[in-house]
Amino acid sequence: MMKGRNRGKKEEEERLQCQANKGAHQRMLEEKAKADLEEAATMPLARGVEDEKLEEMKKGIIHEGDPMAMYAWKKQQEELAKQQQTSPHSSAQPPRKPTYKGPPPKPNRYGIRPGYRWDGIDRGNGFEDKVLEMLHSRGRKKEEA
């Protein structure tokens, strides 16, 4: 009988400690997840086009590479600002593409910057260098003439 009470006390203490270790935002997310699960339990199994919540959820997702992503992101931010008064410290940044941060690359004909994963090694056969040299030599000849 005492072991049962001790175990119950111990479990209650562990639950309270777990609750104390979480922040307010984590608790809010957990409660939201529970509410979503309860709501999902009442939904029909087959959801179609007429399901407005499903359609809104699908429309709200911003995919990488979407040309309208910035517009959708701005629209979401405006809706969030209308829904709640945000503090001046919390300002979300738009999604940005990563850029190359290594040593400066050699110039090319089109001025294309290297991708963010480039390791800085030029694996070309020298053709680009020859083309640029010819372009620059033409310019020098015109200046000299």
Side-chain angles (χ1 to χ4, degrees):
M1 190 106 170
M2 289 296 269
K3 288 182 181 180
R5 286 184 185 173
N6 287 341
R7 189 181 323 155
K9 265 188 177 179
K10 191 173 184 180
E11 287 176 359
E12 180 67 22
E13 287 177 7
E14 286 177 6
R15 189 184 66 76
L16 289 174
Q17 181 64 32
C18 184
Q19 196 76 1
N21 287 340
K22 293 182 181 176
H25 186 70
Q26 287 176 322
R27 276 186 249 140
M28 183 189 68
L29 290 176
E30 203 171 81
E31 290 171 9
K32 186 176 183 237
K34 282 182 185 178
D36 289 344
L37 282 175
E38 290 173 5
E39 185 179 327
T42 61
M43 288 182 192
L45 186 61
R47 296 168 71 182
V49 178
E50 63 274 352
D51 189 356
E52 293 177 12
K53 286 186 180 179
L54 178 65
E55 288 297 312
E56 286 299 317
M57 183 183 72
K58 285 183 177 180
K59 287 179 183 178
I61 297 172
I62 298 175
H63 298 283
E64 186 177 340
D66 184 5
M68 294 292 287
M70 283 303 291
Y71 173 76
W73 181 83
K74 286 178 184 175
K75 189 174 177 184
Q76 278 185 352
Q77 294 303 315
E78 288 172 2
E79 289 175 5
L80 284 173
K82 287 178 185 176
Q83 287 177 1
Q84 60 184 353
Q85 294 291 348
T86 58
S87 66
H89 300 297
S90 65
S91 61
Q93 296 290 325
R96 293 186 182 192
K97 290 185 179 180
T99 57
Y100 174 68
K101 295 180 177 78
K106 292 196 313 188
N108 57 48
R109 287 180 279 180
Y110 306 108
I112 299 172
R113 296 195 39 84
Y116 73 98
R117 291 186 175 136
W118 186 51
D119 58 359
I121 299 171
D122 183 15
R123 293 180 176 84
N125 59 8
F127 177 77
E128 194 73 23
D129 297 332
K130 291 177 186 174
V131 170
L132 287 173
E133 187 179 322
M134 296 233 344
L135 287 173
H136 290 299
S137 67
R138 285 182 193 165
R140 279 193 221 130
K141 287 179 184 176
K142 286 181 182 176
E143 287 176 7
E144 289 174 3

